[in-house]
Amino acid sequence: MTEQIAHPDRGAAPYPGATREYGGRVRWLALFVVLLATFMDLMDVTIVGVALPKIQNDLGAAYSTGQWMVAGYALSYALTLVTGGRLGDIAGRRKVFMTGVAGFTIASAVAGAALTPSMLITARVAQGAFGGVMVPQVMSVIATQFAPGRERTTAFSLYGVLLGIAQVSGPVLGGVLTGYSAWRMIFYINVPIGIFALIGAARWMKESASDHPLRLDIPGVLLIGAASLLLCFPLVQGREQGWPPWSVAAMAAATPMLIIFVWYERRRERRNTTPLVPTHLFARRSFSAGLILMIVLFSGVSCYFMLLTWALQFGLGWTPLHLAITSLAWPAGIACTAQLTNRHGHRHGRRLVGTGTTLMAIGTALLAGVVARYGNGLTSGEIVPCMFLSGLGMGLTIPILSNLVLGDVPADDAGAASGVLNSVVQIGGAMGVALAGVIFFGGARAQAELGAAPRTLAYCVAVFVLAGLLSPLLPRQAAALPGGPAVQP
């Protein structure tokens, strides 16, 4: 039996998951490994979009096939997140993480070597599926192996900074690689990163799993998979096809499917059998309110970046690399808040989330104003200050929000909760992209110009304001102990 070490914020009181052999810098090295793998996955979400024209020309792929190179990844990723998180609780988070990294790395190598469009699409679907297995383990590691308070807030802050950087590094790296080498390098670059992550996980990552015997809920997997597919597939493909009746019907069918899933999970919980998603988690206001805030917030963030891609490339003819370099102002703003969230996030979380979403709304409103004022004369000089201000707000919001949502989740359910959280982020992102298309294009291709940008940004402003209005539903700070009661608001 290993000897527990003292909680760094509470003197001699031990906290679950802390051992002498796993103290010190080893946990931080393990965190670096899982964050590196997460960065690789998040980067691949956006990197393909930049290289898509070259890929289509090289492989002779149709436009619809090119869309599936992007959509296939997003769909398989969304479908496996909840299951991947629960598998970590059951089989061990290090084991499941390493399985996901290995599969993602192999799929990346296959994608780089693809000779046909169908081969590349298959590899992209595999990338997304293994990414959905890999990514939920990151928040599980933070929630179970870092002490509540400043230590855990620091870990979540690092995750938030990485999230912001990954949003724009994909297009930047994609633009550089496709500009100076073959498009296949955007996939091959994952191979050395994946190998390093595997070695690092084997050496530094501690195995952790639920203390109670759990079994995978197969019917629950099928039900949540069906609900996710019915919702995400139309969101990804519906606008491209003019919102045909089947897309509306599918999204409508997602709601009763989700109700059936919840009913089934409650039934399993009453019978003391392992549910895929423990429904008692939603009784915690920090978790349920946080999920609502997350889906609202990320619909605005994804709409924001999709709008910039369309408006500045279609409207002004910017290159992907020009847009990506300009967009670096966003993660620069996030990075500037790291010290502040590290020092005060665990004590003033709710206040900082409210402040952050307000700054995001102000920055976005200013961007809408400069776009409307300068029109075709718009340059990076007008955009960068607005994006920097919104980035500051994002940096105050995301690291702390993740901590508040997962801070009082029992360690046994950390994987399932992380999977749900990541799924909500993906669904919010898909909703934002779909809504951006509806507002920006307005059903007519002729409106795909810069003049359509301010009204689309107005939606983003409204969403960020709504997120700020929802922030009082969160607890003031994270829970005092893992699995313990949340601090009352």
Side-chain angles (χ1 to χ4, degrees):
M1 179 178 292
T2 55
E3 181 184 0
Q4 288 185 314
I5 62 174
H7 188 302
D9 291 343
R10 293 182 175 268
Y15 66 95
T19 61
R20 288 203 181 276
E21 69 213 34
Y22 195 65
R25 65 188 180 95
V26 177
R27 279 177 300 158
W28 296 101
L29 291 171
L31 178 64
F32 170 75
V33 168
V34 295
L35 290 181
L36 180 66
T38 303
F39 179 84
M40 175 176 67
D41 173 78
L42 294 173
M43 185 177 64
D44 258 52
V45 174
T46 55
I47 197 171
V48 172
V50 175
L52 202 55
K54 284 193 174 183
I55 295 174
Q56 290 177 244
N57 291 335
D58 191 17
L59 298 181
Y63 178 75
S64 59
T65 305
Q67 286 294 106
W68 269 106
M69 293 175 190
V70 178
Y73 183 99
L75 287 171
S76 60
Y77 183 69
L79 289 173
T80 54
L81 278 167
V82 176
T83 303
R86 198 52 160 171
L87 281 173
D89 293 334
I90 296 170
R93 296 171 185 115
R94 181 177 69 173
K95 185 185 300 180
V96 173
F97 173 79
M98 292 180 68
T99 300
V101 172
F104 190 93
T105 304
I106 294 170
S108 297
V110 173
L115 301 176
T116 64
S118 59
M119 183 177 177
L120 181 54
I121 290 172
T122 302
R124 288 286 290 167
V125 170
Q127 275 188 308
F130 282 109
V133 171
M134 173 177 67
V135 169
Q137 314 315 319
V138 179
M139 289 190 181
S140 298
V141 167
I142 295 174
T144 61
Q145 297 176 9
F146 285 86
R150 185 168 178 178
E151 182 179 275
R152 187 182 293 175
T153 300
T154 300
F156 272 118
S157 295
L158 291 173
Y159 176 80
V161 170
L162 173 112
L163 185 66
I165 294 174
Q167 284 180 327
V168 295
S169 63
V172 171
L173 187 58
V176 171
L177 290 177
T178 54
Y180 296 99
S181 64
W183 61 264
R184 298 180 186 275
M185 286 302 299
I186 67 173
F187 300 113
Y188 284 142
I189 196 173
N190 292 333
V191 175
I193 296 175
I195 291 173
F196 177 83
L198 281 171
I199 295 172
R203 182 170 183 179
W204 297 315
M205 193 173 174
K206 177 191 175 184
E207 185 61 282
S208 66
S210 171
D211 293 333
H212 305 290
L214 302 176
R215 299 178 65 180
L216 185 61
D217 174 15
I218 299 299
V221 170
L222 297 176
L223 287 170
I224 194 63
S228 300
L229 186 62
L230 287 169
L231 179 61
C232 293
F233 184 81
L235 286 174
V236 172
Q237 290 290 290
R239 187 194 63 81
E240 294 294 332
Q241 299 181 18
W243 298 109
W246 68 261
S247 64
V248 179
M251 286 190 286
T255 299
M257 185 64 69
L258 189 60
I259 292 173
I260 294 172
F261 170 74
V262 172
W263 169 82
Y264 178 76
E265 294 299 286
R266 285 180 175 174
R267 183 168 174 262
R268 286 185 66 93
E269 210 163 24
R270 286 195 299 267
R271 294 185 174 186
N272 292 322
T273 52
T274 306
L276 180 67
V277 178
T279 57
H280 64 80
L281 291 176
F282 297 95
R284 299 171 183 267
R285 197 174 81 175
S286 59
F287 187 73
S288 55
L291 292 181
I292 295 171
L293 204 159
M294 279 283 198
I295 198 169
V296 168
L297 181 64
F298 275 92
S299 73
V301 171
S302 63
C303 178
Y304 182 101
F305 279 98
M306 187 58 66
L307 174 277
L308 287 183
T309 299
W310 288 334
L312 299 180
Q313 291 193 57
F314 293 160
L316 295 181
W318 285 18
T319 65
L321 186 58
H322 183 185
L323 173 61
I325 292 175
T326 301
S327 299
L328 286 174
W330 182 282
I334 292 176
C336 289
T337 63
Q339 190 65 19
L340 181 62
T341 55
N342 180 33
R343 285 178 175 270
H344 305 290
H346 60 290
R347 293 191 180 93
H348 306 288
R350 184 171 69 185
R351 182 178 301 173
L352 290 177
V353 169
T355 302
T357 51
T358 301
L359 289 177
M360 292 175 73
I362 293 172
T364 306
L366 291 174
L367 180 60
V370 300
V371 171
R373 177 180 179 182
Y374 291 97
N376 291 332
L378 189 68
T379 67
S380 297
E382 290 83 38
I383 294 175
V384 164
C386 304
M387 293 196 73
F388 180 78
L389 182 59
S390 295
L392 286 174
M394 184 80 161
L396 291 176
T397 302
I398 295 303
I400 302 168
L401 185 56
S402 301
N403 195 7
L404 292 174
V405 174
L406 297 179
D408 66 333
V409 168
D412 287 348
D413 299 322
S418 177
V420 171
L421 179 62
N422 280 283
S423 294
V424 163
V425 169
Q426 290 301 308
I427 291 171
M431 289 174 59
V433 170
L435 289 168
V438 171
I439 302 170
F440 184 74
F441 290 103
R445 186 67 181 180
Q447 291 183 313
E449 300 292 345
L450 195 62
R455 67 168 179 263
T456 314
L457 287 170
Y459 164 77
C460 299
V461 173
V463 165
F464 296 148
V465 170
L466 177 59
L469 293 175
L470 291 172
S471 64
L473 296 176
L474 299 171
R476 286 195 179 92
Q477 60 189 49
L481 289 171
V487 175
Q488 292 300 314

